[in-house]
């Protein structure tokens, strides 16, 4: 075995995955696997307990695999595999520069150890063309990061999970099935989170523009974070699942010993129970959500800070102001928000629910422990979706669909729905991230509903008695407004910037229209008259336009879903194999028809966005 080659490979791995590189360097002797043969013709890895080879005929199987991937997958930028084997297949596939990432999951350190003595992968490991995962160390946060990576996410609609050897199917079937399902679930989550209906985005942009002055004059979110960070060790996030009612007496008893973050829907319930939250959060843009604030609780509201995303409906602000509540608007991390160049006034609300937003804030304020109550994310045994005191009733969400998930406690399954599944996945991703990066522990004290992986399930009483033992110095500071002169200056600068964006957008629209006219004339020609070089040229023009649209900083969530799905769907067309130039010509024509349809949509939504800006600025 080539020790220098092993050291070279592991040194490259140290630059991208220190833990895995260290694990491989620790191996001094293999006990489960050994190498057999000394050339590609007879090279194999033998599983010592079963005396079975990873390959039955390594050279023949390598040839078969290479032929298959050359004919069916040669254009794929991203390939997913389970099982590293000898590494010969990946060394050969990496010679194809179309493959930008080859992602391999492996459960046996010894197999990687042996393969690293056989072939030089160092350059591709460093460049992250070859990405390795050791499955016993794998978690959901890593899979999320992988599939959301800018080099990978546009390939998710071409996802396929390849196993290049029957040995892996025989010995690791359950691992393969579970891993494949996890990847599919995350892909579904990514596709759904990008959306396919720009209507909500249109409303959010409209509301943000309407609320722009209130945002700038209402306080600076980053100043709030800086001042209140690490002021409290323990946070309680109060959500509105049906289990909340049973936790209220204990919450009232310990209310002054933790920071209380309250979802908008929980706020009237806590007010009725006489439990004052420190922060009330609201995420949604719907008028129905505004009704959680259509009440007058008088002195109860004193010292509460209402943290509202800028996409909120105008009624939310109307009700807050009517009852003299102290509120701050915060930008969500959406593309249109980034166009405003108002980073100090954001960002909060990456997740898909107000409870996810509260969790992000509790983590940003660096609480050491975050405690969840009322976070059922499932119907209770009577089919209720909310507590009885919820303003829209305990059946605010009708039962729909046949979706089940693991219950709190792990002993059975509970009925849920798609949106709650997405909220839960957001929690699981965030919980693992803050545990690894910020050393924050999350306790799920809901004592009902769905299991949230990564959280520690404990009775609320036990956590209160063990963690909540010191009164806090409340209220926390909650006024971070700029002086009116400074705020007005920022407001005027933002308006000018947005109008410049409109000017740039209109220029790009004209360029798009001109290219679409050229494309239409080409598509009107009979197919036999179409020139291959001409088709390639117009395809390149549209690729350049798509890049220009993104680089000009004109992207918003109104366009984001269209662009994401357009790029994913276009890639699905382009990776299909072509046997000759005629088939390639057909493929380009399909792509150009796709461009024609999508760029007309881009123009429409860019015009809508421009009209919104001109109307409200």
């Amino acid at each position: 075995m080539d020790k220098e080659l092993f050291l070279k490979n592991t040194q490259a791995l140290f630059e991208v995955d220190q833990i895995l590189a260290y694990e491989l360097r620790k191996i001094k002797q293999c006990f489960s696997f050994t190498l057999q043969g000394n050339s590609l013709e007879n090279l194999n890895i033998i599983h010592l307990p079963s005396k079975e080879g990873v390959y039955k005929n390594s050279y023949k199987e390598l040839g078969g695999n290479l032929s298959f991937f050359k004919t069916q997958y040669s254009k794929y930028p991203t390939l997913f595999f389970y099982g590293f084997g000898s590494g010969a297949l990946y060394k050969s596939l990496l010679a194809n520069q179309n493959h930008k990432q080859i992602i391999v999951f492996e459960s046996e350190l010894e197999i990687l150890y042996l393969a690293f003595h056989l072939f030089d992968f160092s350059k591709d490991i460093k460049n992250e063309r070859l990405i390795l995962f050791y499955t016993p160390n794998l978690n959901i946060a890593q899979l999320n990061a992988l599939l959301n990576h800018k080099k990978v996410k546009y390939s998710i609609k071409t996802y396929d999970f390849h196993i290049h050897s029957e040995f892996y199917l025989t010995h690791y079937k359950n691992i393969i099935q579970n891993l494949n399902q996890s990847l599919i679930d995350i892909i579904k989550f990514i596709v759904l989170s990008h959306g396919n209906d720009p209507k909500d985005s249109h409303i959010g942009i409209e509301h943000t523009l309407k609320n722009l002055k209130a945002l700038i004059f209402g306080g600076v979110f980053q100043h709030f974070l800086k001042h209140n960070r690490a002021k409290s060790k323990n946070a309680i996030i109060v959500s509105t699942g049906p289990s909340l009612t049973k936790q209220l007496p204990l919450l009232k008893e310990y209310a002054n010993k933790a920071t209380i973050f309250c979802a908008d829907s929980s706020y009237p319930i806590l007010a009725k129970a006489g439990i004052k939250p420190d922060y009330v959060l609201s995420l949604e843009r719907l008028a129905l959500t505004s009704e959680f604030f259509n009440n007058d609780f008088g002195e109860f509201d004193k010292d509460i800070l209402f943290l509202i995303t800028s996409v909120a409906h105008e009624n939310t602000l109307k009700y807050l102001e009517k009852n003299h509540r102290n509120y701050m608007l915060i930008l969500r991390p959406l593309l249109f928000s980034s166009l405003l160049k108002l980073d100090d006034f954001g960002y909060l609300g990456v997740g898909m629910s107000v409870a996810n937003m509260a969790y992000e804030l509790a983590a940003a304020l660096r609480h050491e422990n975050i405690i969840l109550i009322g976070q059922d994310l499932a119907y209770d045994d009577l089919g209720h979706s909310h507590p009885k005191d919820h303003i829209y009733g305990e059946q605010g969400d009708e039962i729909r669909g046949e979706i089940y998930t693991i219950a709190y406690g792990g002993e059975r399954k509970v009925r849920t729905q798609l949106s709650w599944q997405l909220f839960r996945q957001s929690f699981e991703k965030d919980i693992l991230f803050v545990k690894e990066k910020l050393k924050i522990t999350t306790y799920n004290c809901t004592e009902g509903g769905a299991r949230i992986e990564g959280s520690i399930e404990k009775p609320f009483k036990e956590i209160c008695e063990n963690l909540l033992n010191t009164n806090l110095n409340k209220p926390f500071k909650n006024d971070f407004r700029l002086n009116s002169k400074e705020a007005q200056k920022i407001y005027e600068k933002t308006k000018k910037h947005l109008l410049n964006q409109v000017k740039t957008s209109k220029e790009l629209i004209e360029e798009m229209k001109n290219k679409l006219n050229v494309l239409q004339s080409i598509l009107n020609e009979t197919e036999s008259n179409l020139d291959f070089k001409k088709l390639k040229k117009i395809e390149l023009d549209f690729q350049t336009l798509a890049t220009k649209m993104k680089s000009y900083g004109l992207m918003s969530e109104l366009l984001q879903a269209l662009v994401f799905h357009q790029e994913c769907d276009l890639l699905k067309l382009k990776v299909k194999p072509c046997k000759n130039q005629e088939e390639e010509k057909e493929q380009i024509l399909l792509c150009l028809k796709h461009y024609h349809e999508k760029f007309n949509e881009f123009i429409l939504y860019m015009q809508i966005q421009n009209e919104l800006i001109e109307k409200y600025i």
Side-chain angles (χ1 to χ4, degrees), residues 313-330:
H313 192 276
E314 59 190 320
N315 285 350
T316 298
L317 275 62
K318 182 177 79 173
Y319 296 144
L320 290 170
E321 289 170 0
K322 177 183 174 183
N323 294 298
H324 311 291
R325 290 159 175 154
N326 184 28
Y327 72 90
M328 178 188 294
L329 291 181
I330 306 166

Side-chain angles (χ1 to χ4, degrees), residues 90 99 147 237 242 244 246 274 352 394-395 515 522:
Y90 307 115
H99 301 320
L147 292 171
I237 296 175
L244 177 61
K246 68 185 177 189
M352 307 186 89
E394 57 191 359
Q395 200 58 63
K515 291 294 182 188
I522 291 173

